[in-house]
Amino acid sequence: MAGLGRRLQEHGFEVTVAANPAYAQLVVSSGCGYSPLPGDLTRIITRTAPGTKPAMGDLATTWRALGEYMDRAATGTLAAAEAGADVILANSVAPYAYDVAEALGIPAIGAHLQPVEPSADYPPVLMGSARDLGKLGNRIVGERALAGPAPYDAPGARLRRELGLPKLSRRAADRRRRRRNATVLHGISPTVLPRPADWHPGLVMAGYWWPPSRPEWRPDAELVDFLAAGPAPVFVGFGSGAALDVELVLQAARRAGVRVVMQGGSVREDDALGVGDVPHEWLFPRMAAVVHHAGSGTTAAGLRAGVPTVCVPVFTDQPLWASRIAALGAGPRPVPFRELTAERLGDAIAKAARSPSYASRARLLAGRIAVEDGTGPVLQALTQLSSSRARLQG
């Protein structure tokens, strides 16, 4: 979103991004204004170790924590908009942004990184599974999942009461926007997930929104020396939603016979190096393959780099992206995080790094993605909105 904000500012828009404090520096360095949303969502959703399943008590605790987080985020969203906004771009886990927009008399446009809209063409994202239920099953289960309870329902209801708005459930508001063909922009490449035929006209598959580039960034000497000391290594990183088991990764890499760069692991060996914050735009093209959790942004970065991918999905939309990587031929079948072992990961890495077909498909997809402009549809939607408001005021 910070990268999209930077692009919009280049076209004359003034952009503020509301986000957790952990992302303040990223937002500010992109040139956008920053407004704080209290809390740290990544701490709530982090899983402890591969091969484990959360207990029911853990799920209940997580649900309560998410509800508390969303309540604070709803308040932060209101404060950010009250500081001055003409339009709100609302992501898929902030439906209370529509309530804020209604109270302030300004428009809201969906800006999603996940395709939460039900469709016959893919399994429902909210179920956290890539299991295809067939066209009818995908559609029915997707609609029921979207209509089910969510941790942001109570915060939205509270905001509506406090702002003097009529009582309206999130589910009813969703239905109303769908009937109106309300615009929802998706920062997703249509090369990776083609626009479903059963989406209403307002749902737009815009193309990826890339993170802001960091031209001033330079790699440290240790990383440069490691890359130069042997064949291209394999990247391994599971994002903020899963713990990195360094020993398991080392065993997997050695089973596959590859060198490895681990993001989040503290290791310095002849065949392995742990790194911290390294831009994927710089690092991934230098890899023989990338292994990650299949989050939407990391998946996009791997495809952009044109290297094979091994997906280790954890939850929510990650199984969908993992299944798309395999279906597009850019990597082997995913290894779910809860089933992760050194043997399974090592075998998948060996396939990805040594199969010419994966590398060829990855390069082909990268070429197609490179000519897409995800910012264009956003600019078009904002321009149309501005023109409509000008006609009404005139």
Side-chain angles (χ1 to χ4, degrees):
M1 302 311 295
L4 174 62
R6 172 181 281 186
R7 290 292 310 278
L8 293 177
Q9 293 205 139
E10 292 171 357
H11 289 271
F13 291 90
E14 182 179 343
V15 180
T16 295
V17 179
N20 291 161
Y23 300 104
Q25 181 56 40
L26 169 67
V27 172
V28 171
S29 65
S30 75
C32 298
Y34 169 72
S35 188
L37 293 184
D40 184 354
L41 186 58
T42 61
R43 294 185 65 180
I44 299 173
I45 63 175
T46 297
R47 302 298 173 95
T48 54
T52 60
K53 296 181 180 180
M56 291 304 296
D58 295 335
L59 291 174
T61 299
T62 299
W63 186 270
R64 286 194 298 271
L66 283 171
E68 293 168 359
Y69 169 84
M70 293 295 178
D71 194 66
R72 293 191 297 270
T75 299
T77 299
L78 175 61
E82 286 181 326
D86 298 308
V87 61
I88 298 175
L89 296 181
N91 70 31
S92 59
V93 293
Y96 37 76
Y98 289 99
D99 302 312
V100 170
E102 182 181 344
L104 298 181
I106 59 176
I109 297 174
H112 295 182
L113 298 178
Q114 300 83 18
V116 297
E117 184 71 19
S119 172
D121 289 356
Y122 55 78
V125 168
L126 296 176
M127 300 299 291
S129 171
R131 180 187 175 192
D132 194 322
L133 305 173
K135 288 191 173 295
L136 183 60
N138 287 342
R139 183 80 195 187
I140 291 174
V141 175
E143 289 173 350
R144 290 181 178 177
L146 189 62
Y152 34 69
D153 289 343
R158 174 184 64 81
L159 270 186
R160 294 190 70 84
R161 288 194 305 271
E162 294 177 358
L163 295 172
L165 297 173
K167 187 176 180 180
L168 181 70
S169 71
R170 187 258 311 171
R171 290 174 288 277
D174 281 346
R175 289 194 298 269
R176 184 170 67 180
R177 286 192 294 273
R178 198 171 292 118
R179 286 195 301 268
R180 295 175 178 175
N181 292 331
T183 300
V184 178
L185 304 161
H186 293 80
I188 299 168
S189 167
T191 295
V192 178
L193 185 68
R195 184 186 184 280
D198 57 357
W199 272 11
H200 70 68
L203 301 172
V204 179
M205 201 70 84
Y208 285 132
W209 302 323
W210 301 112
S213 59
R214 295 156 60 181
E216 75 291 346
W217 181 87
R218 296 291 182 273
D220 62 37
E222 186 176 37
L223 176 56
V224 172
D225 290 345
F226 181 80
L227 294 177
V234 168
F235 167 89
V236 179
F238 297 144
S240 58
L244 183 72
D245 185 329
V246 172
E247 189 56 37
L248 184 152
V249 173
L250 285 174
Q251 291 176 18
R254 288 164 183 165
R255 178 182 177 92
V258 300
R259 303 193 311 144
V260 63
V261 171
M262 277 185 268
Q263 191 165 48
S266 180
V267 58
R268 286 170 175 79
E269 300 189 19
D270 290 342
D271 60 351
L273 178 67
V275 298
D277 179 22
V278 180
H280 291 164
E281 182 180 4
W282 183 90
L283 184 62
F284 282 8
R286 292 168 167 81
M287 300 292 104
V290 293
V291 181
H292 56 67
H293 58 305
S296 58
T298 314
T299 297
L303 290 168
R304 185 189 198 186
V307 295
T309 300
V310 175
C311 294
V312 185
V314 185
F315 46 54
T316 57
D317 60 322
Q318 295 166 9
L320 172 64
W321 304 126
S323 70
R324 293 304 301 154
I325 289 288
L328 291 165
R333 293 181 62 182
V335 182
F337 187 73
R338 66 178 180 273
E339 300 173 8
L340 187 63
T341 65
E343 292 76 16
R344 286 174 174 164
L345 182 59
D347 292 347
I349 290 173
K351 286 182 181 179
R354 296 196 176 93
S355 298
S357 63
Y358 293 140
S360 176
R361 284 294 299 173
R363 289 192 297 269
L364 177 65
L365 293 168
R368 292 175 179 174
I369 291 169
V371 299
E372 296 172 355
D373 177 18
T375 307
V378 183
L379 289 169
Q380 183 179 6
L382 291 173
T383 301
Q384 289 175 346
L385 182 62
S386 179
S387 298
S388 298
R389 296 179 70 183
R391 286 196 299 270
L392 289 173
Q393 291 170 356

